[in-house]
Amino acid sequence: MQKPDYVDFDPASRYVRLDPHEPAFVQDPYPAYAFFHAQCPVFFWEDFGLWCLASYEAVNRTFRDRRFGRERPGGYMASVAAKGDRSHLADFDRAEAGSMLELEPPVHTRLRTLVNRAFVSRQVERLRPRVERLAHELIDGFEANREADLVAAFATPIPATIIAEMMGVPAETGPQLVAWSNDMVRMYMHAPTRAIEEQANRSAGDFAAFIRHHAEERRRKPGDDLLSVLTAAHESGEKLSEDELVSSAILLLNAGHEATVHQTGNAIRALLSLDGGAAAFLGSDEAVAAAVEECLRYDAPLHMFTRYAYEEIELVPGIALQPGEQVALLLGAANNDPAAFDAPRSFNPSRQDQKNVSFGAGIHFCIGAPLARLEMQAALKVLFERLPSLKIAEEPQYRDIYHFHGLERLVCRW
């Protein structure tokens, strides 16, 4: 496999220099991943300062290995304090510290159990008619224009509205929730600037105030929504602290739409790029479900997730992580590993080797996976039924926010 010009690789040390902001990599990371699979499925990415795992087998295994975890040794606050002055990130750090995404059992188990019931498949399936109705309403709003940016007009409002309604906050606040979320996730990009950090902190503080306001309303007037569940757990005095309530609500609102927006945009692009168009892949409900799974594998929205080592762990002979060190799991690479998938860069919904890791695995498997799958299935089916002549109007560009892999815009005509 030919090495992309923008990759600098030392085979003796397994060190790689690859600027994640390199335009060619931002727009198409898969040639670099193919090189890693062929030459160095375990490598040290100097730009991030992390050992990385690119193979499907290693990523899938590490997700499930309890010697690794999300919780920072010593706790979130002690860990970030060691990085120097972060007083300008006080609100952001407070929101992150209580997130179940950053915790391990038994605290993780307690928090996840509180909200899991709302996200199991049988509960989520009840939302399908609502998602379909919302998709129709959105298309009604722009169909006559014969052109639209489907990221902004379609991919974003659906998951943002649904998760707002599930949480019990006003659906019309969806655009504000998306804006706060976008500001916060920029903290996960490579080398965020001071301006990005300060904006993320402001948004985290505003988001937390928003949650506390609506939680207070739920104390006075409980409902059957998720925020009422979290508020009741806090009121019990033993299941949820106020900071955990706020962090959990922010996580659910952010995670409930952020990745699904990117994945829906990526999926529409992939389907429209196929010979013969999307119609051949979206006939029956079963075909739609299979196409969604292939979209999740083919061009996933999240390309890097990290884990901390809790003991000394050998990655390959001669290379070991020490306790407290991080390893990066490259989901986008794992989903396109030729050792795991036949012709990985071919879009094939009927493939028999479908086992993508886009939602993770193990105890941190994405709690919203059933919801994300349903939203995509319902939305894509409605979109391509309503607009069968849909075509890409201008070459879409991916946003420069590795490891979130999503489009800036997706302008289409019909």
Side-chain angles (χ1 to χ4, degrees), residues 45-91:
W45 196 337
E46 290 190 45
D47 303 77
F48 284 99
L50 294 172
W51 284 99
C52 298
L53 307 177
S55 76
Y56 175 88
E57 187 279 330
V59 168
N60 187 44
R61 170 170 41 82
T62 304
F63 268 134
R64 304 168 191 273
D65 190 337
R66 297 300 299 133
R67 297 176 300 166
F68 294 93
R70 284 290 301 170
E71 189 166 349
R72 306 176 189 219
Y76 181 94
M77 297 306 290
S79 175
V80 297
K83 296 180 180 179
D85 180 25
R86 284 174 67 93
S87 56
H88 65 295
L89 286 169
D91 288 327

Side-chain angles (χ1 to χ4, degrees), residues 210-237:
F210 172 87
I211 296 300
R212 289 190 178 93
H213 168 74
H214 285 284
E216 184 58 36
E217 289 186 343
R218 289 304 175 281
R219 291 186 182 97
R220 296 193 300 268
K221 188 178 179 181
D224 58 359
D225 51 79
L226 272 170
L227 190 54
S228 292
V229 170
L230 296 175
T231 303
H234 170 54
E235 290 296 291
S236 73

Side-chain angles (χ1 to χ4, degrees), residues 11-122:
S13 65
R14 296 176 179 261
Y15 273 39
V16 164
R17 285 196 296 276
L18 166 56
D19 181 357
H21 304 287
E22 163 62 42
F25 179 72
V26 170
Q27 298 308 316
D28 185 6
Y30 299 105
Y33 294 160
F35 173 76
F36 298 150
H37 289 311
Q39 299 295 328
C40 53
V42 176
F43 65 93
F44 187 82
W45 196 337
E46 290 190 45
D47 303 77
F48 284 99
L50 294 172
W51 284 99
C52 298
L53 307 177
S55 76
Y56 175 88
E57 187 279 330
V59 168
N60 187 44
R61 170 170 41 82
T62 304
F63 268 134
R64 304 168 191 273
D65 190 337
R66 297 300 299 133
R67 297 176 300 166
F68 294 93
R70 284 290 301 170
E71 189 166 349
R72 306 176 189 219
Y76 181 94
M77 297 306 290
S79 175
V80 297
K83 296 180 180 179
D85 180 25
R86 284 174 67 93
S87 56
H88 65 295
L89 286 169
D91 288 327
F92 177 85
D93 284 340
R94 187 177 181 186
E96 290 287 289
S99 168
M100 73 178 83
L101 190 63
E102 307 295 335
L103 300 168
E104 291 296 313
V107 178
H108 171 269
T109 306
R110 174 169 55 82
L111 296 179
R112 188 172 175 119
T113 300
L114 281 171
V115 299
N116 186 63
R117 185 170 55 189
F119 290 96
V120 296
S121 297
R122 63 183 178 275

Side-chain angles (χ1 to χ4, degrees), residues 90-96 177 180 184 200-216 219 227 242-243 245-251 253-254:
D91 288 327
F92 177 85
D93 284 340
R94 187 177 181 186
E96 290 287 289
L177 301 178
W180 286 332
M184 292 179 71
N201 192 66
R202 284 192 295 271
S203 292
D206 291 342
F207 211 153
F210 172 87
I211 296 300
R212 289 190 178 93
H213 168 74
H214 285 284
E216 184 58 36
R219 291 186 182 97
L227 190 54
E242 182 174 351
D243 281 351
L245 184 160
V246 172
S247 293
S248 296
I250 289 177
L251 171 65
L253 284 163
N254 283 358

Side-chain angles (χ1 to χ4, degrees), residues 136-157:
H136 279 293
E137 291 170 358
L138 292 169
I139 295 171
D140 288 343
F142 61 68
E143 183 177 16
N145 299 333
R146 314 297 295 179
E147 179 177 299
D149 170 12
L150 293 183
V151 170
F154 190 76
T156 300

Side-chain angles (χ1 to χ4, degrees), residues 3 13 16 27 38 81-82 84 93 141 177 192 197-198 229 262 274-275 297 317 346 350-351 366 373 382 399-400:
K3 180 176 70 65
S13 65
V16 164
Q27 298 308 316
D93 284 340
L177 301 178
E197 291 182 339
E198 290 177 350
V229 170
H262 299 322
L274 299 172
D275 291 338
R297 183 203 66 80
S346 294
S350 62
R351 66 171 59 249
C366 178
R373 285 184 163 113
V382 170
R399 298 194 304 167
D400 179 13

